[in-house]
Each structure stands twice: as structure tokens, then as C-alpha cells.
Amino acid sequence: MRWELKWLAWEVSARCNLRCVHCRCGAAQDGGEGIFTLPRARTLLDDIARFASPAIVLTGGEPLLRDDLHELIAHGTAKGFRMCVATNGTLLDDARCAQLAAAGVKIVSLSLDGASAAVHDDFRRQPGAFEGALRGIECLKRRGIPFLINSSFTQRNLGDVRAAYALAKRLGAAAWYMFCVVPVGRGEDIAAELLTPDQYRELLQWHLAMERDEKEMLVRPTCMPQYYRLRAEAEARGEKLAHRSLSFSTGGAKGCVAGQSIALITASGDVKPCSYFPEAAGNLASRGIEEIWNGAPLLARLRDFASYKGMCGRCAYLHECGGCRVRSLYAHGDALCQDPVCIPAFGPPEPACGRPPQAGFECPGRRG
């Protein structure tokens, strides 16, 4: 089977002007620039274009700390890529937005983890971050650049979910993506405040109910693959659910697609299955991106669904949901084990559409 790279996140800087509590890469102001000089970054885009045409999201750290970001976007645009930027928004101004627009950026994603400065600034550990992001959004709107809003949740800001959704809609976002923080990077430092299984279930149930009436803004849970089990169960009951997607997305038809249609390139050149997976499939210093994507043993393991263990291996919704491979690795020390959230939150699934559960293996307990 040919695995198509559809979406690629790329850390173009390890530096950041914020120190967010959940940052997957622990970025900071004194972080390094990484290995991607502009010539090297252009060469990588050339290499990607030889075998794939993914949407490319330039992230960090904070990508706007690079003065040459627009030149990188322009090169990718010339190659036919859908070039996107993921930023905290605080460094956006009219001049930078004019550069982004001229370079051909397709969309900019910003983070708002609450509907007030009190909530968002606490999450981002920087007074003024909320107002800075709002100013950045107004700059994007003046330049006609589409934007989406990402909101990440733990127990500390769970009470602001509905308000964050309403704010994204009021601001005119093209999409609102609801993230569940996973225990990676600084997220591991706040593991005690990650959502409980009950909170996780209730949040997904709220989202599924909310989106039935949401016709204007695309909404989607991210890093919450059991959402696709809930959708499949609802459709099995005869409900008709609309399926919408942005032109730069992976299609939104499955939960965890780590290493299957998405990947991350870190500022040091590591190629990882997704933005949160802590292990690398290879490094660009020794192997090309196409060789890693098509031949890395780690990616082959994640694509071998018959080798998934525990309830994930037996689940009738394996190909809709897939379980979060990052949570499995954190809980069991094995990315192929069952997602530790699923059974406590939702219970064992019934066979779907007459499909028998698959064979599976028991998972070890949580690693010490």
C-alpha cells in the first residue's frame, strides 16, 4: 500500500517568545534556530516536491521569529504547496501580514486557549498574550488572510470551552480546532491536570451535539480520535452527519493518522509520526525525507494495524478511531497498545456494521 503524505508540520525555529504550559517541544526564547537555514529549507521543499504534495504548516517554536519566513513560504508556494503558518499571533502586525499575503500563505492558525486574558495568558504564561493574539487576528482580517483558531484544553481551562468556541465564531475564524493536551514536552509536566476519562467523554459528546447545528464555521476535535467512534456509532443509529473539511487538511475521516498521512519535521531535522510523538523515524542529516517516509521501521509499525494490541487491536472501530498512539506510548511504553482513555471513557465498543472485533493482545500496565 502506498502511504500518501498529505499534511506536514515543520518546526522552522525552536525559539519562542512565550513559554506555554503545554508546549510539545519545550520552546523558549533562548531556544536554537535549528538546522534549517533558508538555503537548506528550500532544498528540503524541493525534496518533498519530488514525491508528495502535502499541505505544509510552518510552526515552531514561533515561526514569526524568522525574518525570512515569507521567503520560505514563497518558495513553497512556487512549488505548488499549500503553505500555512501556525503562530501564537502576538508577533503579527500589518507589515508581517503583508509579507505573508504576498508570499501566498493559504491560512494562518492561531491559538486561543480561552475567551479571556485571565485564562489564555495563564495557559501561555505571558501577560498580554491574549490581547496580542486578538491584534494579530485583526491584522490578518485587514489583509484578507483566512485564519483558524486552535484551543487546547486541560482541567485548568476546561470551563472555558464553550466561550472559546463562541469567541472563534465571533472573530470570523474559518475553523475552530479543539485540542486535548497530551503528555508530551511540557504537557508531561502537567499530566496531573489532563482531562479525566469522564471529562474527555463529556467534551466529545458536547462537540458532537454542537456541530450538528454549526453551519458557518468548520469545527473539529484534534488529538481526540474517539470522536470518530462516536460519529460512526451515531451514523449506525441512522443519524446524518455532515462531513466538511478545509482544503489544507488531511480530510478528517479518521482519528489518529500519525505516520499514515501526516508527519512532523523538528528544528533539528528529526522526522516524527505526528506533532506529539516523542520518537523519531529518522533524521534528515543521514536520510532523505522520501526514504524516511517510505521506509522507516517506526512508520511501518504504526501502519500495521493487525499488530495493534489490547482493545485497540480488537476494536471494530480501529480504522475509524485508531486510538492515540502518543497516549498509548506514555501509558504503556508501547505505541501499539490500547489508548488508556478509551475504555474508562466509553467502555468496550459493540461490533460495528456486523464487523467482528479484530484479534489483539493484552497490553502491559502503566510504565513506572
Side-chain angles (χ1 to χ4, degrees):
M1 179 177 180
R2 180 178 180 272
W3 298 90
E4 181 183 358
L5 179 60
K6 297 181 179 180
W7 185 93
L8 178 66
W10 179 6
E11 293 177 358
V12 293
S13 175
R15 295 171 57 215
C16 189
N17 58 322
L18 305 182
R19 292 184 60 87
C20 306
V21 297
H22 66 310
C23 181
R24 56 172 170 72
C25 63
Q29 184 67 53
D30 58 358
E33 287 291 356
I35 67 171
F36 293 106
T37 61
L38 183 58
R40 191 166 186 175
R42 285 171 170 159
T43 297
L44 177 58
L45 287 170
D46 295 344
D47 292 342
I48 296 168
R50 292 188 180 97
F51 81 101
S53 184
I56 298 179
V57 181
L58 303 180
T59 182
E62 173 49 60
L64 289 173
L65 287 172
R66 285 188 68 134
D67 293 334
D68 59 2
L69 184 67
H70 61 289
E71 296 182 68
L72 182 53
I73 294 170
H75 189 77
T77 299
K79 287 287 178 181
F81 293 123
R82 293 153 292 163
M83 301 297 291
C84 315
V85 172
T87 172
N88 59 47
T90 61
L91 300 180
L92 284 169
D93 57 25
D94 286 322
R96 292 307 296 271
C97 288
Q99 286 183 333
L100 296 178
V105 72
K106 295 301 183 186
I107 198 164
V108 173
S109 71
L110 305 95
S111 298
L112 285 175
D113 303 309
S116 69
V119 176
H120 179 77
D121 291 359
D122 173 66
F123 215 76
R124 299 284 158 172
R125 297 204 292 193
Q126 178 62 55
F130 182 75
E131 293 301 328
L134 294 184
R135 286 194 300 271
I137 288 172
E138 292 307 312
C139 292
L140 291 170
K141 291 164 73 171
R142 283 195 291 271
R143 286 289 173 177
I145 300 174
F147 67 94
L148 67 85
I149 290 176
N150 297 323
S151 299
S152 299
F153 295 100
T154 69
Q155 294 182 44
R156 78 166 63 190
N157 63 336
L158 183 59
D160 235 34
V161 169
R162 291 167 175 78
Y165 155 68
L167 175 61
K169 188 167 183 176
R170 188 165 67 249
L171 290 171
W176 180 65
Y177 285 2
M178 182 180 77
F179 282 74
C180 172
V181 174
V182 292
V184 174
R186 293 197 191 112
E188 189 168 3
D189 298 335
I190 59 169
E193 68 178 70
L194 301 187
L195 301 184
T196 67
D198 285 345
Q199 290 170 332
Y200 184 88
R201 180 190 66 252
E202 291 166 3
L203 187 55
L204 281 182
Q205 290 171 336
W206 167 79
H207 193 287
L208 194 62
M210 171 270 291
E211 68 180 90
R212 290 186 177 98
D213 298 322
E214 178 52 68
K215 308 300 182 184
E216 300 172 4
M217 182 174 66
L218 177 68
V219 291
R220 181 163 295 143
T222 306
C223 298
M224 306 178 78
Q226 287 78 16
Y227 163 79
Y228 292 90
R229 169 185 166 176
L230 293 183
R231 280 186 64 100
E233 289 175 337
E235 289 169 349
R237 294 192 298 267
E239 294 188 42
K240 302 297 184 182
L241 301 176
H243 179 79
R244 296 183 295 154
S245 183
L246 294 174
S247 62
F248 65 87
S249 74
T250 60
K254 186 191 173 189
C256 183
V257 289
Q260 300 161 43
S261 61
I262 69 171
L264 166 75
I265 298 174
T266 72
S268 62
D270 280 340
V271 179
K272 297 185 175 182
C274 75
S275 296
Y276 302 98
F277 204 91
E279 298 177 3
N283 188 279
L284 295 175
S286 57
R287 301 172 67 191
I289 180 65
E290 183 176 6
E291 180 185 358
I292 293 173
W293 178 256
N294 289 326
L298 172 58
L299 301 185
R301 289 181 64 229
L302 294 174
R303 296 164 180 170
D304 182 11
F305 305 124
S307 68
Y308 281 25
K309 305 170 186 177
M311 183 53 68
C312 281
R314 298 191 297 270
C315 184
Y317 294 108
L318 173 60
H319 296 287
E320 285 86 2
C321 167
C324 177
R325 297 302 101 209
V326 174
R327 283 199 298 256
S328 299
L329 182 61
Y330 177 77
H332 306 293
D334 184 349
L336 301 187
C337 278
Q338 67 191 37
D339 185 333
V341 168
C342 189
I343 300 305
F346 302 99
E350 295 295 328
C353 304
R355 292 173 294 173
Q358 302 184 31
F361 305 90
E362 294 309 312
C363 289
R366 181 181 175 85
R367 56 182 177 173

